[in-house]
Each structure stands twice: as C-alpha cells, then as structure tokens.
Amino acid sequence: MVVVTRIRREVLTLPAAPLGPDNPLPPLRPLDEVHRIDDRDRGELPRDMARQLGWEPLHSLLPVRIRDGYGRTREPRSLDALVIENDRLRATVLPGLGGRIASLLHLPTGRELLYRNPVFQPANFALNGAWYSGGIEWNIGATGHTTLSCAPLHAARVPAPDGGEMLRLWEWERLRDLPFQVDLWLPEGSDFLYVGVRIRNPHERPVPTYWWSNTAVPEDRRILAPAEEAWLFGYERRLRRVPVPSYDGTDRSYPLGSPCAADYFYEVPDGRRRWVAALDADGHGLAQTSTDVLRGRKLFVWGSGPGGRRWQEWLTEPGTGGYCEIQAGLARTQLEHVRLEPESEVSWLEAYGPLDAPPDGAWAQAVRGAEERLESALPRARVEEAYTAWRPSADTEPGETLAVGSGWGALEVLRADWKLPGTPFPESTLGEEQAPWRELLRTGSLPEPRRVRPPGETLVAPHWRDMLETAPATPHTEYHLGVAQWHAGDRAQAVRSWERALPLAPSQWPLLRCLAVADQEAGHHERAAERYADAFDDLCRERRDDGATWTAAVAALGRESLQALLRVGRTAQARAVWDRLLPAVRQRGRFRLLQAELLLAEGHAARARAVFDEGFEVADLREGADVIGRLWARLGDGPLPARYDFRMRPDAV
C-alpha cells in the first residue's frame, strides 16, 4: 500500500544545554568574523568573485543581539519537532531551532543519511554566537552561520504541488531585512526530499544576499562533486585555487586527509549539473542536487589535527564519531554576497536523498559513476520540472499553523504595508520586544520603559533611524538613536546623542558603556577603562535582582569592563569588578579564564597556572579564537594541554 506524505508533530528528547538569556549590550564593535581573505589574494581572483567579495560585507550585527548565555551542562530536554514522511523518507525538523532538519532517515534500509547529533550543545559559531552542529541548516544573511541558528521560525502546512502536504518554514532575516521561506515536501514514492527556497527583496534598493545550505554527514566518507579544481580557504585567511581531489600530495576528497580545518569551494563548470555526494566505504550515502541558481558547492573539514578533533568533541559527545559538511550556495564561495535587485526575488529547488555508487578509484571515474547513478535515481530534468511545479505554490497561503517565529516581520509589514503572498507576518505575532517600536510607528514617540531594566533592542534601518531623529529627544530615545547612528557609520553624531542623554538619564550605565566602546574604537583606552568602571558601578547600584536578565547584564558588562581595565594595567579596579561579580558568574569558564589573566597581571603566575590545572570550559569560545593558547604561552613553556587545544590555524599548531 502506498503511504501518502504526512506531517505530524513530535517531541525529540535530547541531552541539551539551555540557551540562556541574550546579551543585553548592543553589539557596537566591528564584526568578529574569521572568514576574511588576505588582500594579497584578491588580484588573482575571477572578476565576478572579486566584485562579490567586496560588495557590502557585513560590518555589524545590529539590530541582532549576541547569544552567549548558554553553558555546557546538559540535561534531558524536550524539543518540539515536525516530521514529514512518506513510505521512503522521514525528515525531522526543529522549527524552534532555525528550522534545521535534524534527521533524514531512509525507511527501506533504515539508514540515517545525515550526521545526527545526539546532543544539543550551543557553541560560538553563528554570526551572533549560539549555533549547534548536525543535520541540514539554512544559512541566510551574510558570510557565516545565520543569526537564526537557534531562533524559532514560523511553520505551517501548505498544499504541495502534487496535491499532498508541504511544510513551510519562513521568517524575517534582520541583518539584511529580507523575508525568506523554505518549503519541504515528499512526492508520493519519492526517495528524495524536495526543498523549495525563496528570498524576497521588498525594498526599493538592491540588497546583498547570501544563502548556503549546510549538510552535516559522517566524516568517514568520500566526498564527490563534479569539479577538477576548488578554491581552498583556511584559517590563515588565504583563498587560492587548488586541484581536486589531490593537493599537496594528499587526496582531500577524504575529510580526514586534511590536517587542519579548511573549506574547499568546488569550481563546478558552467552547464554541469550541480550536485555533491558523501559516500561510505560500501558506496552508500547522501546526494544533494539543485537547480542551477544554487551555484556553489563546498566541503568543510575539521581535519585530523588536535584542534579539529577537540572541536569535534566539544560540539557533541566524545566517542560518537566526527562529521564534515557538504554545502550548496548562491555564489562560488561563502565569502561573497550576490546582488538582489529592488522589488525582486530569487528562488531555486534542492533535493536530498540516498545515493549508492562506487566511491573508490580514480576521481574522474568515481565522479562519473556517481553522476550516472544520480541521474538514474533523480534525473536532472525532473528537478527542473519539480521547480516549475512548485513556483506557483510558493505564493499559496499557509493553512494550519505548526510553529510561530518572531514578531519582527510583522512589525516591518505593518510599517511598510508590504504584501508578501505565502509568508504572512500577522500582527498577532507582535510581542513585548516590538511594542515600543510599534508605539513609535503609531505616535512618533518612543515610550519610556515601564520598569527599571536593561534597555531593549534597537532598530537601526534607515527608516527607523529617521523616526528616532524626529521623536521627542528623551534620554531613552537618544540612547537608541545613538546606536542607530553608530550602525550607520556616523560615530561622531552617535557620541553626541549619548552625551546629550547622560545628564538626565535615570540609568547611566548603558550610555557610559556605549561611550566606552566609542573611546576604544578611537584609541582612547584609558578613558574607555574609566567609563567602563563607572558604568559597572552604576549597573551594580541599579540592579534589582539576581534573575536571568540582570545577571546577563552584569556578566556582559563585567566581562567588557575587566578586559578594558586589564588592557591599561588597572589591576586594582579590575579586581574590584571581579569581586562584585555574582559567584555563579565567576564560576563560568569565560570568567575563570579572565581570573587567570587578572592573577597574572597582579603578579601571581603560579595561582594563574593553578586555574588551568583546576580546569575550566569557556562555553562561548569563538570559532578560530586562540585566546586560551596565548594566555597559556605567557604562563610558561610547556605544551598546551589537549583539553584547551582548539587551534585551527596551521601556523598555530
């Protein structure tokens, strides 16, 4: 009996670390992104690639907040899941965590086609912090993992092109102010999951656009793609063309053949079918293919070095096996952004399913064999036909709501009265975060907070900045206006707005902190340290309780204050900040690392070394960061202990 496609709710229980509260301090500093290339490589790049590499790269996370409130203590936790299945495939989707496909199970063989992470462990890999490994993730916004990695998306049932059911995911991407949707469906009897993606630009200006679909697969695979060259990018920030599959005497189509973490962006020839596959030693695995708009294909590997192995353990449970990622994107590389014209859209169709093909032997033979098997299992023409059939369905209004995302899209639709068929952002989704901005839109005045608490999020797009500039100049409005001006690059005016607000502001620490960041960016580190000390004092006086919101504020400002004070050698003031931190905050790994730095600055090298010996885990250690290794090197000549070795650059190992 043929089983029709069905969608159902499910609860997935995993050992999970809590996400915790977001960082309440607006991210004013330039984006700390490891995916930047050395300027000396630009002259040797194809013209279109060089142009897209330089077109409006992201410099700020605003208006998005940093998510760094998570830890590493995991307990069983129930995660809401949506399952779409037919008699061939079962896809498990996590709408509350970026809409990720956590599992893709081939039912006739019982094979899991993805790397399925047995835990939920956030780590500092997304543009705004919290991210987790495994499954298929949808990355939109700018170079890096999306800020929606651990955020809820809207989800609903929608009629599929073949008359069955389709699962729609959608949200408003805030870095570029773009709505997008991801439609998942399984045609009757299909071994492949179809994924229709659309990004729309409702603005009257072109917008830089970014998309990569990242699929985690076990790393004991051979990765095949229709290419003879690739653009290699490593953590030394070089981008260069290399042959595929062998480079520097090693076959890099086997992920463990690379000594260090690296990206291989395949140069797929024009006119060639776009696909990538991961096959085990027996020739079983996963294939991903798409219509040609999704141009790029990539392999990411952690490598066989100690840093890569440590990251693998960090992101999951030791002993559960490592993974690599096969990816597909709009450009050749993830370092590029493509132009989306005003009031236009871009869309494509992807397909994911099982592939059986001989993986070994000469590269050309293995690729040809896999491509022939893929054409037999899912002809290229069928993918094009499925895309054509899906396009009218992309505008179909959703039916039953299955999950609710944020209210930011509703606020933008309310502001501009945009019509976005297929992706409704109803006013019912507006919440507490959007309330003051809705009031600004309605009355022209930003309301004062009803109770003492850290300030809410700031909207920074030009239309919101214009409204703030014409609103009554209360200290609260001046604070938000300054953040928006800072984001626009008008730093002098931002400082003036914050300074105007300071004499009358009932809460001074948010303004002092913004001015301290401005001082640091201008090179005035002594004045920045003084302002940080004053800001932390003011926050400690104002703090109302030890709840999650105030604790997040104290931790965030305390961390920045300690770093600023240590930078200029004010160890006594840094110690005073440390002593006023909550005991629970002082026990966090990030603060244990700061404690070691403080002790070393005070001349207590042995006590600083003892902090390392006692052990700590910096839960929000940034991808590519070597802060632990640098401090360890200041404490002695011994090798960095394996538990602290997260080094990813070849010259750092």
Side-chain angles (χ1 to χ4, degrees):
M1 181 180 75
V2 175
V3 178
V4 297
T5 299
R6 56 186 180 271
I7 300 171
R8 57 184 169 83
R9 287 187 170 92
E10 192 172 272
V11 174
L12 188 64
T13 302
L14 294 176
L19 278 169
D22 290 352
N23 187 323
L25 307 183
L28 301 177
R29 290 183 175 81
L31 188 67
D32 177 22
E33 175 52 48
V34 297
H35 299 97
R36 298 275 191 261
I37 72 166
D38 194 309
D39 287 339
R40 58 186 162 171
D41 293 331
R42 291 182 182 271
E44 301 177 5
L45 303 177
R47 185 174 300 176
D48 62 331
M49 182 189 293
R51 182 178 64 252
Q52 292 181 162
L53 282 169
W55 194 53
E56 294 195 31
L58 197 66
H59 296 293
S60 168
L61 282 174
L62 289 166
V64 177
R65 286 191 161 180
I66 294 173
R67 310 202 72 176
D68 60 1
Y70 52 87
R72 293 191 54 80
T73 301
R74 296 192 286 264
E75 296 178 351
R77 175 184 166 197
S78 296
L79 304 176
D80 291 333
L82 299 172
V83 175
I84 176 170
E85 65 180 322
N86 61 7
D87 59 339
R88 310 292 296 174
L89 281 178
R90 178 186 300 146
T92 302
V93 181
L94 302 178
L97 293 170
R100 187 170 307 202
I101 299 178
S103 169
L104 187 61
L105 187 66
H106 187 232
L107 297 174
T109 61
R111 294 192 190 112
E112 174 60 61
L113 301 181
L114 310 176
Y115 170 76
R116 182 171 184 171
N117 198 332
V119 304
F120 172 70
Q121 177 56 64
N124 194 358
F125 279 74
L127 286 165
N128 63 332
W131 170 89
Y132 62 106
S133 64
I136 305 172
E137 58 176 307
W138 319 111
N139 289 293
I140 182 174
T143 299
H145 293 281
T146 177
T147 61
L148 296 167
S149 291
C150 293
L153 304 189
H154 301 280
R157 298 180 194 268
V158 182
D162 59 1
E165 284 192 322
M166 184 161 62
L167 173 61
R168 175 164 299 161
L169 306 165
W170 74 99
E171 198 28 294
W172 194 276
E173 200 288 310
R174 301 178 65 202
L175 294 178
R176 303 297 195 184
D177 264 340
L178 299 178
F180 72 97
Q181 70 189 79
V182 178
D183 289 353
L184 311 173
W185 82 100
L186 287 162
E188 183 179 305
S190 175
D191 275 310
F192 282 79
L193 173 70
Y194 288 176
V195 182
V197 182
R198 175 168 65 170
I199 306 172
R200 287 190 274 203
N201 177 13
H203 303 285
E204 297 178 349
R205 66 182 190 280
V207 176
T209 308
Y210 174 93
W211 183 279
W212 281 80
S213 303
N214 292 7
T215 304
V217 294
E219 65 182 353
D220 59 346
R221 300 289 190 266
R222 191 181 195 191
I223 309 303
L224 302 176
E228 296 181 355
E229 292 182 314
W231 295 93
L232 170 62
F233 179 79
Y235 286 84
E236 69 277 22
R237 301 191 178 188
R238 300 295 309 278
L239 182 66
R240 56 194 185 277
R241 195 191 298 253
V242 299
V244 170
S246 294
Y247 166 65
D248 200 21
T250 304
D251 188 340
R252 306 301 175 98
S253 63
Y254 295 92
L256 288 172
S258 294
C260 296
D263 300 325
Y264 296 89
F265 298 102
Y266 296 112
E267 186 67 77
V268 180
D270 291 342
R272 192 78 180 264
R273 184 176 187 177
R274 309 282 161 171
W275 64 273
V276 62
L279 302 174
D280 66 18
D282 296 325
H284 306 306
L286 170 80
Q288 187 275 353
T289 188
S290 72
T291 50
D292 290 351
V293 167
L294 203 65
R295 174 182 184 175
R297 291 299 184 276
K298 171 193 162 182
L299 165 64
F300 167 75
V301 298
W302 285 106
S304 57
R309 308 328 299 165
R310 184 70 182 104
W311 275 115
Q312 293 268 31
E313 296 174 353
W314 187 254
L315 296 171
T316 183
E317 290 281 9
T320 56
Y323 75 95
C324 62
E325 289 182 352
I326 54 175
Q327 307 180 11
L330 284 175
R332 276 192 183 96
T333 74
Q334 288 174 328
L335 312 178
E336 303 168 66
H337 299 99
V338 301
R339 181 184 178 97
L340 188 56
E341 296 296 340
E343 299 177 335
S344 70
E345 63 183 50
V346 60
S347 62
W348 62 90
L349 185 125
E350 305 180 44
Y352 297 81
L355 183 68
D356 293 327
D360 298 325
W363 175 254
Q365 179 181 350
V367 169
R368 183 169 58 252
E371 196 162 35
E372 290 173 354
R373 294 289 183 91
L374 176 60
E375 183 65 21
S376 176
L378 183 65
R380 186 178 186 180
R382 190 183 302 168
V383 175
E384 296 289 345
E385 291 166 0
Y387 171 71
T388 301
W390 166 72
R391 280 298 289 116
S393 300
D395 282 345
T396 302
E397 291 303 316
E400 179 192 0
T401 298
L402 299 172
V404 178
S406 79
W408 295 113
L411 184 67
E412 293 298 333
V413 169
L414 182 65
R415 179 194 63 82
D417 194 30
W418 278 317
K419 309 300 179 186
L420 301 169
T423 55
F425 294 95
E427 288 190 43
S428 60
T429 61
L430 292 167
E432 183 180 358
E433 293 174 316
Q434 294 81 39
W437 301 97
R438 185 181 189 183
E439 185 70 10
L440 174 64
L441 186 63
R442 188 178 68 85
T443 68
S445 178
L446 192 68
E448 292 294 311
R450 296 180 180 177
R451 54 191 170 90
V452 177
R453 60 179 176 178
E457 298 187 49
T458 302
L459 296 183
V460 296
H463 43 268
W464 292 108
R465 188 174 71 249
D466 290 344
M467 281 185 265
L468 288 169
E469 287 177 344
T470 58
T474 66
H476 184 61
T477 299
E478 293 278 25
Y479 162 79
H480 285 289
L481 175 58
V483 175
Q485 290 166 333
W486 182 272
H487 175 263
D490 192 351
R491 296 190 170 185
Q493 189 58 55
V495 168
R496 284 193 287 271
S497 294
W498 293 326
E499 288 177 340
R500 278 197 307 268
L502 201 55
L504 298 177
S507 178
Q508 293 193 330
W509 66 266
L511 295 160
L512 288 168
R513 182 264 176 177
C514 289
L515 290 168
V517 174
D519 284 337
Q520 285 183 325
E521 292 299 305
H524 304 307
H525 296 290
E526 287 284 352
R527 189 168 66 192
E530 191 64 38
R531 277 179 161 156
Y532 264 122
D534 291 342
F536 191 74
D537 285 344
D538 187 64
L539 172 58
C540 289
R541 286 192 297 268
E542 183 176 285
R543 188 179 73 208
R544 293 297 188 265
D545 55 50
D546 294 341
T549 300
W550 284 106
T551 298
V554 171
L557 187 58
R559 172 178 168 179
E560 290 188 10
S561 300
L562 278 166
Q563 292 169 328
L565 291 163
L566 287 172
R567 179 169 187 167
V568 297
R570 297 192 181 192
T571 55
Q573 286 180 289
R575 172 60 63 182
V577 170
W578 173 267
D579 290 341
R580 296 175 77 179
L581 292 172
L582 299 171
V585 171
R586 290 201 295 262
Q587 290 305 310
R588 296 179 187 176
R590 172 65 65 178
F591 287 86
R592 295 280 285 158
L593 181 63
L594 280 170
Q595 180 188 23
E597 187 176 356
L598 173 58
L599 288 167
L600 183 60
E602 292 173 327
H604 305 306
R607 291 172 61 189
R609 174 64 182 262
V611 174
F612 277 83
D613 294 341
E614 292 166 8
F616 58 85
E617 293 183 319
V618 181
D620 62 333
L621 187 67
R622 185 66 173 163
E623 174 191 9
D626 59 354
V627 59
I628 297 178
R630 290 200 308 269
L631 182 57
W632 175 265
R634 293 168 58 193
L635 293 174
D637 298 328
L640 182 66
R643 66 180 299 177
Y644 300 122
D645 191 354
F646 294 90
R647 294 172 294 182
M648 299 171 75
R649 289 169 55 100
D651 57 3
V653 176

